[in-house]
């Protein structure tokens, strides 16, 4: 499957595909400040959290990540140690066994329900792999989709401590600091995933990019911990780890890892007829974090003793993570659902 997919994107087409297609972009949470008035329309006979008889998520016979998943991280730009700790713990929490309910690992169990053509499930094991620091902005402070792949190439081909190349179960997560501009960031995307082209990187590797929106657009990509300027009077919620930009990134990272696991080469699990513009398992649940979520309402969440808002527990920290599509019951699901 991998060689087949690569042959569809030779060097001469790589630029065209990357510049004109953005098939796997991350969620953009929409503002809310009260329960959607239409929520009461849906009684016990219908799940409202994204449920629809019109959603036809299908398996298109491509590979999914059934082997133990290792997330290799590239820290691009200037990062504080405290920021890295938040993201590292989230990734490590995906497979944690002793986290308090509702947990990040409980959220991942929904992703695990997806299978490949042999019936093998997505791996339950997700661990943090090797890391690469690019603190000197090797490709500048303004990145395009093409230069993002070049950053990954630099990381896996570095003379000292290169990231390991693992096309079968490795995920490559490029995180840009809050002073880095990325093509379409804030205007159209908060993050995206795809796979690298051999013509650029030398390998076909599933990867994702997520940016820290703290300086550029926290009201878009870190909502509800920041609010857009065009909505006066709306107060932001308190972030669970005290860092608005990074707490906002966590849900986008979750979005991308879930979709990379179920659709790494953009030919596995997605809805829609056009593989160039797939609607994936996290896309179907954009902005939904809890029971009753849908429309302009994110669903019911938890408030900690410190006033912070969250919906899932990690190993030690708490996080706010969007739900994903459960193809068995045909609606969005999360570990904090009130009816579970």
């Amino acid at each position: 499957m991998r060689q087949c997919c690569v042959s569809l994107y030779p060097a001469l087409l790589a630029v065209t595909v990357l510049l004109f297609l953005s098939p796997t972009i991350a969620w953009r949470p929409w503002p809310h400040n009260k329960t959607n008035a239409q929520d009461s329309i849906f009684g016990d006979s219908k799940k409202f959290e994204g449920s629809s008889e019109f959603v036809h998520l299908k398996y298109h016979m491509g590979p999914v990540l059934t082997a133990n998943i290792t997330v290799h991280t590239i820290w691009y730009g200037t990062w504080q140690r405290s920021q890295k700790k938040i993201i590292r713990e989230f990734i490590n929490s995906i497979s944690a066994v002793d986290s308090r309910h509702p947990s990040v690992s409980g959220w991942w169990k929904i992703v695990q329900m997806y299978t490949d053509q042999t019936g093998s499930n997505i791996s339950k094991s997700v661990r943090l792999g090797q890391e690469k620091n690019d603190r000197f902005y090797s490709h500048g402070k303004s990145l395009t989709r093409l230069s993002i792949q070049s950053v990954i190439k630099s990381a896996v081909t570095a003379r000292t401590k290169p990231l390991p190349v693992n096309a079968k179960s490795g995920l490559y997560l490029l995180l840009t600091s809050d002073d880095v501009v990325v093509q379409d960031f804030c205007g159209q995307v908060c993050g995206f995933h795809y796979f690298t082209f051999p013509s650029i990187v030398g390998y076909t590797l599933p990867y994702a990019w997520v940016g820290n929106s703290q300086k550029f657009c926290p009201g878009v990509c870190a909502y509800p911990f920041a609010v857009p300027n065009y909505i006066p009077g709306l107060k932001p919620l308190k972030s669970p780890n005290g860092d608005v930009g990074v707490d906002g990134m966590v849900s986008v990272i979750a979005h991308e890892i879930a979709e990379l696991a179920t659709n790494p080469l953009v030919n596995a699990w997605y809805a829609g007829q056009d593989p160039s513009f797939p609607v994936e398992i996290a896309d179907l649940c954009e902005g939904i974090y809890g029971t009753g979520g849908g429309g302009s309402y994110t669903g019911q969440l938890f408030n900690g003793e410190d006033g912070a808002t969250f919906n899932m527990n990690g190993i030690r920290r708490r996080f706010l993570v969007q739900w994903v599509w459960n193809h068995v019951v045909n609606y969005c699901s999360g570990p904090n659902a009130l009816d579970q």
Side-chain angles (χ1 to χ4, degrees), residues 206-234:
Y207 77 93
W209 157 77
V210 179
N212 187 337
S213 64
Q214 179 67 59
K215 291 183 178 179
F216 299 129
C217 59
V220 176
C221 294
Y223 183 86
F225 306 129
V227 297
N229 295 329
Y230 56 80
I231 306 181
L234 182 62

Side-chain angles (χ1 to χ4, degrees), residues 142-203:
S142 182
L143 302 178
T144 65
R145 292 176 182 267
L146 283 177
S147 59
I148 281 175
Q149 293 214 17
S150 296
V151 173
I152 297 172
K153 176 182 179 180
S154 296
V156 299
T157 60
R159 291 184 178 180
T160 59
K161 298 181 179 180
L163 291 183
V165 174
N166 186 344
K168 183 178 180 181
S169 62
L171 299 184
Y172 297 81
L173 182 61
L174 174 59
L175 304 175
T176 51
S177 57
D178 60 8
D179 57 347
V180 177
V181 177
V182 176
Q183 180 181 354
D184 297 326
F185 189 25
C186 297
Q188 297 181 29
V189 300
C190 299
F192 62 79
H193 78 87
Y194 212 61
F195 55 88
T196 62
F197 296 98
S199 57
I200 299 176
V201 179
Y203 310 93

Side-chain angles (χ1 to χ4, degrees), residues 70-253:
T70 303
V71 181
H72 301 294
T73 308
I74 303 170
W75 303 96
Y76 192 89
T78 303
W79 290 91
Q80 302 299 318
R81 182 175 300 178
S82 60
Q83 295 176 318
K84 291 182 177 182
K85 285 183 177 180
I86 295 170
I87 293 174
R88 286 170 180 152
E89 179 168 328
F90 171 73
I91 295 172
N92 284 326
S93 294
I94 294 176
S95 295
V97 295
D98 296 324
S99 297
R100 183 178 178 183
H101 177 79
S103 66
V104 174
S105 57
W107 169 83
W108 186 254
K109 288 180 179 178
I110 301 168
V111 180
Q112 283 182 249
M113 296 170 67
Y114 289 86
T115 62
D116 65 10
Q117 57 186 302
T118 70
S120 298
N121 291 84
I122 300 291
S123 175
K124 67 178 181 180
S125 175
V126 180
R127 69 178 186 88
L128 190 63
Q130 294 187 31
E131 302 181 357
K132 194 70 176 176
N133 292 300
D134 197 333
R135 61 178 62 90
F136 298 114
Y137 308 87
S138 63
H139 290 71
K141 289 189 175 183
S142 182
L143 302 178
T144 65
R145 292 176 182 267
L146 283 177
S147 59
I148 281 175
Q149 293 214 17
S150 296
V151 173
I152 297 172
K153 176 182 179 180
S154 296
V156 299
T157 60
R159 291 184 178 180
T160 59
K161 298 181 179 180
L163 291 183
V165 174
N166 186 344
K168 183 178 180 181
S169 62
L171 299 184
Y172 297 81
L173 182 61
L174 174 59
L175 304 175
T176 51
S177 57
D178 60 8
D179 57 347
V180 177
V181 177
V182 176
Q183 180 181 354
D184 297 326
F185 189 25
C186 297
Q188 297 181 29
V189 300
C190 299
F192 62 79
H193 78 87
Y194 212 61
F195 55 88
T196 62
F197 296 98
S199 57
I200 299 176
V201 179
Y203 310 93
T204 302
L205 304 172
Y207 77 93
W209 157 77
V210 179
N212 187 337
S213 64
Q214 179 67 59
K215 291 183 178 179
F216 299 129
C217 59
V220 176
C221 294
Y223 183 86
F225 306 129
V227 297
N229 295 329
Y230 56 80
I231 306 181
L234 182 62
K235 294 182 179 180
L237 301 178
K238 183 178 180 180
S239 66
N241 296 290
D243 190 306
V244 169
V246 173
D247 275 317
M249 290 180 72
V250 165
S251 191
V252 186
I253 291 170

